[in-house]
Amino acid sequence: MTTTRTTTSTGPGAPGTRGFPGSPGSPRPAVPRPRDTAAGVALVVSGVVEHGDERGRLLGFPTANVAVPGHGLRDGVWAGTVQVDPGGGGALHVAAVSVGHRPTFYGRDGHRLLEAHLLDFTGDLYDRTVEVRLHVRLRPQRRFDGTDGLVAQVHRDVAGTRAWAAGAGLGHLVVGCRQ
């Protein structure tokens, strides 16, 4: 089962809230989703890590795959965090997260999926519960002509995620990150 909720955080490095559909006083209910630059608002997706086609691993970026609930979560690449076994106080990791249909390999017909690449993590997450917090949308999903362009872009996404972590006060969770 996959669930989503929206949380607001405060404190050092926490993004601040801004104009958010579905917030109190909003004229009509809406699916909560963070804006690209909203600070303090994170969309949370919880679920069990599923087996995938292991394409991320083959490209050098293994991912934890979680089914995406059918709501207004925007496709794209996000900087975020993943807590493993959140009910048991598991470890928190910084992650570059892709949400979408994986257009480079499947066009528009791909199964929609959340794929989280936990930075500096090695281990097996299959069948474990994770809580993924999407903090900053780095870019929209896009189709690449081949794997070379995709891999180059994922390297840039990981660098952007590391930079976000340093600025958000989470650099201690990332190897070699200066705060």
Side-chain angles (χ1 to χ4, degrees):
M1 179 171 100
T2 304
T3 60
T4 60
R5 68 181 185 281
T6 303
T7 61
T8 303
S9 58
T10 58
T17 56
R18 260 176 51 201
F20 191 77
S23 61
S26 180
R28 60 183 166 71
V31 174
R33 67 182 122 162
R35 291 179 165 214
D36 296 356
T37 58
V41 177
L43 189 60
V44 180
V45 177
S46 297
V48 175
V49 177
E50 304 173 352
H51 288 270
D53 57 17
E54 297 190 7
R55 196 176 310 271
R57 181 179 317 278
L58 294 173
L59 296 175
F61 299 94
T63 58
N65 303 320
V66 178
V68 179
H71 64 66
L73 175 61
R74 287 179 76 182
D75 286 0
V77 176
W78 298 76
T81 57
V82 175
Q83 185 175 15
V84 180
D85 301 323
L92 184 67
H93 303 273
V94 172
V97 183
S98 174
V99 176
H101 297 275
R102 299 160 293 153
T104 299
F105 302 104
Y106 304 106
R108 294 182 181 268
D109 300 326
H111 172 73
R112 194 161 183 251
L113 189 64
L114 181 152
E115 300 173 289
H117 173 66
L118 285 63
L119 277 56
D120 309 313
F121 176 82
T122 55
D124 182 358
L125 295 175
Y126 291 126
D127 301 318
R128 293 178 71 183
T129 300
V130 294
E131 182 175 272
V132 182
R133 291 178 182 263
L134 305 174
H135 290 276
V136 176
R137 187 167 182 259
L138 300 174
R139 65 175 177 87
Q141 282 278 298
R142 67 175 271 224
R143 184 182 184 287
F144 293 86
D145 291 332
T147 57
D148 290 343
L150 173 61
V151 168
Q153 180 61 57
V154 174
H155 278 290
R156 289 189 294 273
D157 297 337
V158 167
T161 299
R162 287 183 191 282
W164 165 79
L170 299 173
H172 63 284
L173 298 175
V174 181
V175 173
C177 190
R178 295 183 193 166
Q179 290 195 61

